[in-house]
Every structure is written in C-alpha cells, then in structure tokens.
Amino acid sequence: MTPITIPILLLVLPLLALYHYLLYPLLFSPLCKIPAANPFASISSLWILYIRWLNIENQTLLRLHEKLGPIVRLAPNELSVNCYEGGLKTIYGGGFAKDEFYVRRFVNYGKVNMLCMTDNKEHGLRRRMLSSVYSKSSIMSSANLRVTSRIILFDRLLPQLVKSAEDGKAVDMFKLSYAYSMDSFMAFQFGLKLGSNFLQDTRERDWYMNAFFGRRKWYFWSDNFSGLVGGLLKMGVHLVPKWITVANEEQADWVLKKCDQAEEMIASGQGIATGDEPTPFIQERAAMRKAGGDDKSDSKDYPYRWELASEMYDHSAAAMETSGDTLTYVFYELSRHPELQKKLRDELLQLDPPLRYTVDGEVDLPEFKALDNIPLLSAILQETLRRWTPVPGGQPRVTPSPVCSLAGYDNIPPGVKVHSSAGVLHRNPNVFPNPEEWNPDRWLEASDKQTSEMSRWFWAWSSGGTTCLGNNFATNSMKLVIAAVYSNFTTSIVDAEGIEQDEGYTAGPKGSKLMLQFNRIE
C-alpha cells in the first residue's frame, strides 16, 4: 500500500459508512417512504430493542398503527403490517419464510421442530406427518380422546370443584386451567398412563409452572442476543441466570423420558389399552421412519429420538400455555356475566347426555360434534380468543426475492423482517366495534358480510401454511371443560387482581392467578 492510498482510505471509508448507515436507509432505501415509528427507527434498531427491553412492544405497535396506518417501519430492515389485503394475505398466505426468531426461541435438544423450521418445504413435510391426527374429523371421532377426556374431567377436575364448593373455598382457576390444558393434551400425546397429572399432582405442577414462567422475563436476551448469551456462557458467565438453564434442562429431560417410555411401549409389540395410546407420537414416529428409514446415528438411541422429543416438547408447552391462558380469561369473563352463564347452561343441558357430574354411576360424554355445534359456546370461545388472544405478539417473516408489495408500498426488497400481530389485528374498530369490549354477541348477531370480514381479521390461530396445527384439538378440549364447568356450577370472582394481559409473544394475566368461588347446581 502506497503512502498516498492511506489518506484516500481514511477519507473514503467514513463516507461509505455515512452512506450505508445514514443516507441510504434514510433517503434512498425503498423503505424510506414508509412511516417510521421513531425518528431513529430508519437508521438504527436501538429504538425497537429498547421497546422490547421495556416489554411494551404489543401496546406500542397498537398505538403506532392507530396513528400511522397499516404499515410502520420499526427499524432499518423491519416492518410491522396491520391489514388483510397486502398484509396477512400476502405475507402468510404467500408463504414468506419464517425469521430466525423461531430458531432462537423454540429449538429443543439442538433439533428444529415444525414451529421453528424456516424452510417452507421442510415445514410442509413435517406438518403433513401429523396433519391427519390433528384434523377435525380425527379429533371428533377419536375413541381414545373420549376416554381420556372423561377421566380428566370427571375423575380429576370436577371432584376438586365440588369439594371447593362444599367447603366454600375459592379456587385458583389460572393454575387449574393450565393443569387441565396440560393433562388434556399430554393424555392425547402420550396416553393417560404416560401423560401428566397436574390436576392432582400439585408438586409436579408447581415445579413445571415455576420453571416455565420464571424464564419469561429473560426471553429478551435469548431472542435478541443469542450469540452474546451463548458466547458468555462458554466463558462461564450467565447473562441468563443459571437456575433457568438448569430448569430448562430438567423440563427437557422430563419430556424426553416420556418419549422414551412411549417408544418402549410401542416397540414391545403388546396391545395398548384405549386411553393409553400416544397418538401423535405414534403417528410422527411412523412417518419419520417411512420418510427417512430406520437408520440410527447413535446406537444408543432409537431412530429420530431427538427429533421426536423436540416436536413433542414444543407441542405440550404450547398447548398448556395457549389453552391455559384462554381458559383463564373465559372463566374470568363468564364470572363477570352471570346472565350469560345461565344462558349457556340452558343450551348445555340440551346435550344428550348432559355433562352433569354425579358421585356414583358411570358418566358418558355427549358426541363431540354436538358440543361443537352449540352457537353460544362457540361465540364465547371465539370472542375470548379475539379479545384475550394468547399469542398477541408479532409472527416474524422475511420478504422474498426479488421484491414484493405490502400495504400499498412497492419494491420492498428481499430479506426485510415483516410481521403482523394478532393483538393489534383484533383491535381494528372498523372490523370489531368497541374492540376492548368482550362481547360474544358480535359473532352471533353479525350479518354474513360482517362475519366474513371478522373471520378474515381473526388471527388467534395464525393463517396460511403455518396455521396452528393443534387448533382442532384445543377447541374441542376447551369447549369440553367450559361445558363441564357451567353444566354443574356457577362461578363468581373473589380475586382478579393482575388479570390484565401481560406483554410478550405469548401473554397471559400479569398476576398469574384468578380466584373464583364455585357454587354447585343441583
């Protein structure tokens, strides 16, 4: 390098940096015409990182879209989109690839599962492995599910509510909603014999839930600075507290053990009793072996041990959290509306047989299809999922090559992070009048045109090729417990302090409790 070159470089490099980091994103980028959330958002990610660190992203996005319209620039290379045409339809119906956020948050055992697969083809293949057992027809006709549902409701849950009503003691329905959701799903996933029993085993339930909730406030670091967290960990520095790492490992071992037990039960070749069948595990196990053969990378493991465990861990955690939060808010809202409890009960008691609890005698369940066809029950659940959506945070995707158009803006380049948020979409007053109001009648009294428009904007299950795989199971499971409770009890609020929804990708009540008084209906 000649002496004259050095001064030239000292002049050129700052000019290039000035153009790259300031002039281009501010004046020349195809995104520069999109309204910016903050004066600094066009040139730096620090503003949105600060909002996430404060844990106020969802409420901030709502205010921004109310002020700036359907598309907002959050960072030099990040957009929030809040519309159907040119938004949801384009991004999620058009197959935009997932952002790496899912990998940072949801990888288990070092193996990707369906939720964190960023490649659409790979995701589609994995989804097809499981779609048949999660289909509505399969859920509605499952003999195994009828057995597990009856036992969980009538042997585990309702006796506790009866005793609480007789003793005049309030019940924490937040914990019981989570416990029921976990037990209901894991009985489907692994069978009653191997599944959880959080409704009765309070020690195991509290261990799991304490660890589960304890890590929430540390997601900021792993979601946004995973490299830093991992690098410091190698040096023995725990940016995320060590106890969380230990708790995560313990929970992972807990699920892995259930997978190993399911594998042992299936491999034995012995008959499996109805109610003990690990339905999704069997299905995915067979599909993986059919697609890739039985070859083992490690002779100590059965085929696809870690891939199966990663999938099963993700499914059970998601089922517990999303259904647990939703049921908490269903019980909260119905406890505020005793007249609606009575109206719902009148409809529920028309079921054949009704879901009435008796101490003696064999109890049977009505047909799942009959339960699914109760309009008020469906409207109550739908409105709760809208008003208190359990996944209110952004669902990040990446724009494809060469360019795309979003919310009326053209030539958006590839590689831009874009996301929509159910918590914002569900508060569009033009689609959902008085959006903060919990009002099941909006689904019962709407015209066909209004119902169609609300359904387009309703996004509790996401949409497109990444629609929640378990939505049919979750809907059936939640309807069952709501129907069972209000066929037998009235509920009233004792303590709902902290019931307001927290922030986050997933979000339940800030106070993590809901104390209700149950009164038995004879």
Side-chain angles (χ1 to χ4, degrees):
M1 183 178 295
T2 64
I4 198 171
T5 306
I6 295 175
I8 293 175
L9 285 176
L10 292 176
L11 176 64
V12 170
L13 289 178
L15 291 175
L16 289 175
L18 179 66
Y19 176 79
H20 181 78
Y21 292 107
L22 183 62
L23 297 180
Y24 178 78
L26 197 60
L27 301 175
F28 302 109
S29 167
L31 309 183
C32 68
K33 294 181 180 180
I34 295 173
N38 180 276
F40 297 100
S42 297
I43 58 174
S44 174
S45 299
L46 290 177
W47 176 81
I48 190 60
L49 286 173
Y50 178 65
I51 294 298
R52 287 169 181 155
W53 181 72
L54 291 176
N55 197 31
I56 57 170
E57 182 175 4
N58 296 341
Q59 59 183 278
T60 300
L61 291 183
L62 177 61
R63 290 198 300 268
L64 286 170
H65 283 292
E66 289 173 344
K67 179 181 178 181
L68 301 176
I71 186 167
V72 179
R73 192 180 186 185
L74 304 178
N77 212 41
E78 181 175 352
L79 305 172
S80 176
V81 184
N82 184 49
C83 57
Y84 180 77
E85 295 292 343
L88 291 187
K89 185 177 179 180
T90 302
I91 300 168
Y92 301 91
F96 285 26
K98 287 183 175 180
D99 177 70
E100 289 293 321
F101 157 80
Y102 295 92
V103 176
R104 295 190 292 270
R105 173 73 74 92
F106 297 109
V107 164
N108 304 310
Y109 314 101
K111 297 291 184 180
V112 296
N113 50 65
M114 184 171 58
L115 180 60
C116 55
M117 288 177 174
T118 57
D119 180 83
N120 287 332
K121 183 177 180 181
E122 183 183 23
H123 178 276
L125 289 172
R126 180 66 62 85
R127 186 181 181 90
R128 285 193 289 275
M129 289 181 179
L130 283 162
S131 59
S132 61
V133 296
Y134 283 104
S135 69
K136 187 168 185 175
S137 60
S138 180
I139 296 298
M140 292 289 114
S141 63
S142 173
N144 202 67
L145 196 53
R146 290 185 64 80
V147 170
T148 62
S149 299
R150 181 180 59 78
I151 290 174
I152 289 171
L153 284 172
F154 287 93
D155 293 356
R156 297 185 187 178
L157 176 62
L158 293 181
Q160 293 188 48
L161 302 183
V162 169
K163 187 175 187 309
S164 296
E166 291 173 347
D167 295 344
K169 294 183 178 179
V171 177
D172 187 351
M173 280 308 292
F174 174 77
K175 284 188 175 181
L176 283 190
S177 293
Y178 263 67
Y180 167 81
S181 298
M182 189 64 147
D183 290 356
S184 176
F185 181 75
M186 291 198 84
F188 175 61
Q189 185 180 38
F190 292 114
L192 280 170
K193 185 177 180 180
L194 300 180
S196 63
N197 187 3
F198 284 1
L199 282 166
Q200 295 175 318
D201 189 343
T202 57
R203 183 176 180 179
E204 187 169 63
R205 177 185 73 199
D206 290 345
W207 158 75
Y208 190 97
M209 289 181 64
N210 288 340
F212 191 87
F213 291 119
R215 64 191 182 210
R216 272 184 168 179
K217 68 177 182 178
W218 299 97
Y219 278 143
F220 169 80
W221 297 103
S222 55
D223 287 349
N224 298 287
F225 300 100
S226 57
L228 176 63
V229 171
L232 289 175
L233 190 59
K234 291 178 181 178
M235 298 164 52
V237 179
H238 291 268
L239 184 57
V240 175
K242 184 177 181 179
W243 74 265
I244 292 180
T245 302
V246 173
N248 288 343
E249 291 173 350
E250 289 176 347
Q251 288 187 332
D253 289 343
W254 184 73
V255 175
L256 182 62
K257 183 179 179 180
K258 294 186 181 299
C259 291
D260 292 346
Q261 291 171 331
E263 172 65 28
E264 183 180 355
M265 180 169 61
I266 298 164
S268 72
Q270 298 179 2
I272 302 174
T274 303
D276 288 333
E277 181 178 330
T279 306
F281 185 90
I282 289 175
Q283 174 67 22
E284 189 161 29
R285 174 185 183 270
M288 283 184 173
R289 295 184 184 208
K290 181 179 180 181
D294 285 351
D295 293 338
K296 305 177 187 178
S297 57
D298 188 326
S299 60
K300 294 182 295 184
D301 296 333
Y302 49 87
Y304 308 104
R305 181 192 186 205
W306 301 102
E307 289 84 357
L308 282 164
S310 180
E311 201 73 68
M312 295 300 109
Y313 188 1
D314 174 70
H315 289 199
S316 61
M320 181 188 76
E321 185 174 21
T322 57
S323 292
D325 287 336
T326 301
L327 287 173
T328 299
Y329 283 117
V330 167
F331 293 128
Y332 166 70
E333 291 290 4
L334 283 173
S335 297
R336 296 173 63 227
H337 296 85
E339 76 290 349
L340 204 53
Q341 292 183 43
K342 183 181 184 307
K343 188 176 180 181
L344 175 61
R345 186 176 306 108
D346 290 342
E347 293 193 13
L348 293 173
L349 293 180
Q350 301 305 310
L351 291 168
D352 185 21
L355 282 160
R356 293 305 304 269
Y357 175 80
T358 56
V359 177
D360 49 3
E362 186 69 18
V363 178
D364 197 10
L365 299 179
E367 293 297 321
F368 290 163
K369 186 176 181 180
L371 190 68
D372 191 52
N373 288 335
I374 296 177
L376 181 55
L377 179 59
S378 296
I380 286 169
L381 183 56
Q382 186 91 338
E383 179 65 355
T384 305
L385 286 165
R386 182 204 67 82
R387 172 59 181 83
W388 302 101
T389 184
V391 188
Q395 303 279 350
R397 299 294 189 267
V398 179
T399 56
S401 180
V403 294
C404 67
S405 298
L406 293 173
Y409 290 87
D410 300 326
N411 298 316
I412 295 175
V416 176
K417 180 179 178 180
V418 294
H419 48 80
S420 295
S421 310
V424 180
L425 290 160
H426 290 177
R427 283 168 171 76
N428 183 343
N430 296 321
V431 180
F432 305 104
N434 301 314
E436 296 296 331
E437 178 186 355
W438 183 81
N439 178 20
D441 283 343
R442 75 171 76 243
W443 299 97
L444 298 171
E445 299 174 355
S447 65
D448 290 344
K449 183 178 179 180
Q450 289 171 325
T451 300
S452 176
E453 186 67 0
M454 287 193 298
S455 297
R456 291 202 307 169
W457 283 72
F458 179 79
W459 212 50
W461 308 112
S462 189
S463 58
T466 56
T467 299
C468 175
L469 182 68
N471 74 84
N472 294 311
F473 175 88
T475 298
N476 185 67
S477 174
M478 289 190 285
K479 284 185 174 182
L480 271 170
V481 71
I482 298 165
V485 166
Y486 288 101
S487 293
N488 294 279
F489 303 93
T490 62
T491 62
S492 56
I493 295 174
V494 174
D495 183 359
E497 183 180 0
I499 196 65
E500 61 271 17
Q501 194 168 25
D502 205 349
E503 282 274 346
Y505 174 76
T506 55
K510 288 182 178 180
S512 296
K513 70 175 181 180
L514 174 63
M515 304 303 296
L516 299 183
Q517 179 65 54
F518 282 74
N519 291 294
R520 184 84 184 271
I521 298 170
E522 300 298 338

